[in-house]
Amino acid sequence: MKENYYLEFLKTYHEIKKSYKEGELPKLLLHVCCGACSSFPLPFLIDLFDITIYFSNSNIYPFEEYSMRLNALTRYVNFLNGKLKSNIKIITDVYNYDEFKKDILPYANEKEGQNRCKICIAKRIDRAFIFALNNNFPYVTTIMTVSRNKDVDFINEAGKALEEKYSKKVIFIPTDFKKNNGQDIGVDISKRFNTYRQDYCGCEFSFNK
């Protein structure tokens, strides 16, 4: 039977909250890929966690595209922080496309959604785990499950596999942000906010296809 990751999220969150005082928010390192995709997940999570965004996306080609996505994210986060009196922080990982590309190059001719995409997703979540481990974040997740073009099962399975890899020193929180019309709500928010919306995943091998 297919997993319901929205229900898994709720179950995990309720377990997490048992060890926190009333009004105390758990620290979450949230991998974010762009401003548009964050439109729904950030408002959804903002009252549940103390959020630090980790913008680790060396997969994005070219650098100008990377910059536009980061700028759109920064603008949206600044808006939320101002409107909701929140304190979402953004940490930007080093951009190193040439190094990132080495692992996906053998799969350059595959269709989107196959091995190239799986490697790309897993590498970015792995970067988030490493940062979380080194900076005392107990929980990590990614907003990539908001997209209908992404394999939600693979994303969550990759996250849980990395949790095991790092001996459960950081817990991966399962999500499915597109549930309950999450993606449609996010699209509406991003259009109203005039957020830059890309027309490809970011990969050089999907560029202009």
Side-chain angles (χ1 to χ4, degrees):
M1 187 174 70
K2 191 176 178 67
E3 289 281 353
N4 186 323
Y5 291 106
Y6 175 72
L7 294 180
E8 282 293 309
F9 168 84
L10 294 178
K11 179 182 176 182
T12 302
Y13 180 72
H14 287 310
E15 286 298 314
I16 290 170
K17 284 296 289 180
K18 289 179 182 178
S19 60
Y20 285 83
K21 298 176 183 176
E22 184 70 28
E24 187 180 6
L25 298 179
K27 286 176 58 179
L28 173 67
L29 188 70
L30 179 64
H31 170 262
V32 172
C33 53
C34 64
C37 288
S38 70
S39 296
F40 173 74
L42 286 180
F44 177 84
L45 294 169
I46 206 164
D47 292 326
L48 306 179
F49 292 96
D50 175 5
I51 301 170
T52 296
I53 288 171
Y54 194 52
F55 191 79
S56 181
N57 299 293
S58 288
N59 60 302
I60 299 174
Y61 172 90
F63 180 73
E64 290 76 15
E65 176 71 21
Y66 171 91
S67 297
M68 285 192 291
R69 297 188 192 194
L70 177 57
N71 289 339
L73 172 64
T74 302
R75 177 172 168 261
Y76 184 53
V77 167
N78 288 341
F79 167 76
L80 288 178
N81 283 342
K83 182 178 180 181
L84 303 177
K85 309 300 181 187
S86 55
N87 187 33
I88 301 172
K89 298 162 284 291
I90 301 176
I91 294 172
T92 306
D93 194 8
V94 175
Y95 178 79
N96 190 342
Y97 177 71
D98 290 337
E99 184 64 30
F100 192 96
K101 181 180 176 179
K102 289 178 182 177
D103 288 336
I104 62 173
L105 189 58
Y107 308 98
N109 295 322
E110 285 190 351
K111 292 181 179 180
E112 193 169 335
Q114 298 182 334
N115 291 308
R116 185 178 72 242
C117 297
K118 290 179 178 179
I119 292 169
C120 174
I121 288 167
K123 279 170 68 72
R124 287 182 287 158
I125 299 175
D126 189 45
R127 293 287 295 180
F129 263 91
I130 292 169
F131 187 89
L133 279 165
N134 291 334
N135 293 275
N136 300 314
F137 285 91
Y139 307 106
V140 66
T141 197
T142 176
I143 67 165
M144 288 189 285
T145 61
V146 77
S147 172
R148 295 189 185 97
N149 295 321
K150 296 288 190 295
D151 184 341
V152 67
D153 291 310
F154 174 78
I155 292 170
N156 284 294
E157 288 165 6
K160 297 308 285 186
L162 287 164
E163 180 185 299
E164 293 292 334
K165 174 183 174 180
Y166 294 111
S167 304
K168 297 190 176 181
K169 293 178 181 177
V170 176
I171 301 302
F172 180 82
I173 298 177
T175 64
D176 189 351
F177 288 119
K178 64 181 174 293
K179 282 285 187 182
N180 302 321
N181 296 316
Q183 183 174 15
D184 294 333
I185 293 169
V187 169
D188 182 60
I189 291 171
S190 64
K191 285 181 177 178
R192 286 190 281 113
F193 193 68
N194 198 28
T195 300
Y196 169 66
R197 294 187 58 80
Q198 60 273 4
D199 58 6
Y200 70 109
C201 67
C203 177
E204 175 181 356
F205 307 112
S206 297
F207 188 51
N208 287 335
K209 285 188 178 180

